[in-house]
Amino acid sequence: MTKKPTFLNDLLERAMREPNADVTYDGNGDVRRYIPRRPIVNSLIDLNGDMLPELQTKSGMHLKRPPVGRPAGQTITLGADIIAQSLVAQAGANVIIYQDTTSAIPVGPADDVFMQNIPTYFETVEASPFALVPDGQEVAVSTLPISRAQIHVDTSGGPQTNTGIYMLRFEFDRATMKGYPDFSDAIMHAITAGLARTADAVLLGAIVAKNPAAFTLSAAAAASVRFDELRAVIGTAGTGAAVGQDGVLRAAGVRGELTADMATTIVGAFSRSAIMIRSTVDVFAERVSAANPLTGTLAVTAIVSLQPLLPDTSRFWTVGA
């Protein structure tokens, strides 16, 4: 069965055809000017719109290894696949596949347009209990129960906030490409799975950097967190973790899951957190060995922006031994 060309396959084909120099000829057909340049092309992945390709075996059968929460054979967007594979999302965190928000403002007599960025926030809202006020007494002023973190999308040339620019690069030759039935599709799966894991690592790292207090049930109760809201993420040290007789992994009695992206064990109400992933991923394909397009090495580089959003860190804790 012949498959339709995919986004990445088309990009690789363009890279193999891209010239490695700008050549100018004179009227006799002789080279007048030769300016070497990198044979590189680029495009964008839209995480909200582009669909995840299905992997097939050489016989054309679909591979039966879908991410957790997605039935085999179901077609979903790349962004939905990232959310399905994200550990922090399964724990309750919000994964925001963020599209830049701008507003067109007409300026000047010629109706020129100025594009203004619209501030966007991730907010958490907690309950505000009412108090019994005896006759003749004033009601106490409650703390505003809204916490927010602004979403930023940094670029290499602009001011840096806490948004990080993360990159991934593969290099391979044409023999490697031909050795797999769905090479470019496999790379796309690696990119989306890698984005999910990177998102987990970025958010967990930001939580750990806040130095959460030690977890106790009394601390969770004092923070008005219900037990069912709590989830544990257990790092490589395995601190406080054990598998019960029911086969469920827990840390300090809280249901949990393992991660290779930190050593600490964290317990928290992850719904109070989010990770922003910019919806457009820059992808570059380059012929590294430019001399022979048919046998040279190709490189694929993906660039994405991520930002942890933690407006309220009071509902995260660490678990000791």
Side-chain angles (χ1 to χ4, degrees), residues 104-217:
I105 301 175
V107 294
D111 287 335
D112 294 330
V113 173
F114 172 74
M115 302 303 293
Q116 179 187 35
N117 287 324
I118 302 173
T120 308
Y121 302 89
F122 170 69
E123 297 181 342
T124 62
V125 181
E126 302 298 337
S128 289
F130 286 70
L132 177 65
V133 180
D135 289 343
Q137 295 190 16
E138 295 291 332
V139 60
V141 177
S142 299
T143 302
L144 193 67
I146 304 172
S147 302
R148 59 163 41 173
Q150 185 172 356
I151 295 176
H152 299 281
V153 178
D154 293 340
T155 62
S156 57
Q160 298 297 297
T161 60
N162 60 336
T163 299
I165 298 174
Y166 296 81
M167 303 176 70
L168 171 69
R169 182 179 175 91
F170 297 109
E171 291 189 3
F172 43 85
D173 56 24
R174 286 177 62 87
T176 301
M177 289 180 60
K178 293 180 178 180
Y180 294 87
D182 295 297
F183 182 79
S184 60
D185 291 350
I187 294 295
M188 289 298 297
H189 277 257
I191 288 175
T192 54
L195 274 173
R197 179 168 175 180
T198 304
D200 293 343
V202 169
L203 182 56
L204 292 172
I207 294 172
V208 172
K210 297 295 183 179
N211 297 313
F215 173 73
T216 62
L217 290 174

Side-chain angles (χ1 to χ4, degrees), residues 169-276:
R169 182 179 175 91
F170 297 109
E171 291 189 3
F172 43 85
D173 56 24
R174 286 177 62 87
T176 301
M177 289 180 60
K178 293 180 178 180
Y180 294 87
D182 295 297
F183 182 79
S184 60
D185 291 350
I187 294 295
M188 289 298 297
H189 277 257
I191 288 175
T192 54
L195 274 173
R197 179 168 175 180
T198 304
D200 293 343
V202 169
L203 182 56
L204 292 172
I207 294 172
V208 172
K210 297 295 183 179
N211 297 313
F215 173 73
T216 62
L217 290 174
S218 60
S224 299
V225 175
R226 297 181 181 181
F227 187 76
D228 284 347
E229 293 182 79
L230 295 173
R231 288 294 182 271
V233 180
I234 301 154
T236 54
T239 308
V243 179
Q245 293 185 352
D246 56 359
V248 176
L249 175 65
R250 296 181 177 88
V254 178
R255 181 184 293 268
E257 188 52 88
L258 300 171
T259 179
D261 296 313
M262 66 176 181
T264 312
T265 296
I266 295 292
V267 169
F270 280 84
S271 61
R272 273 74 169 187
S273 67
I275 180 73
M276 182 278 289

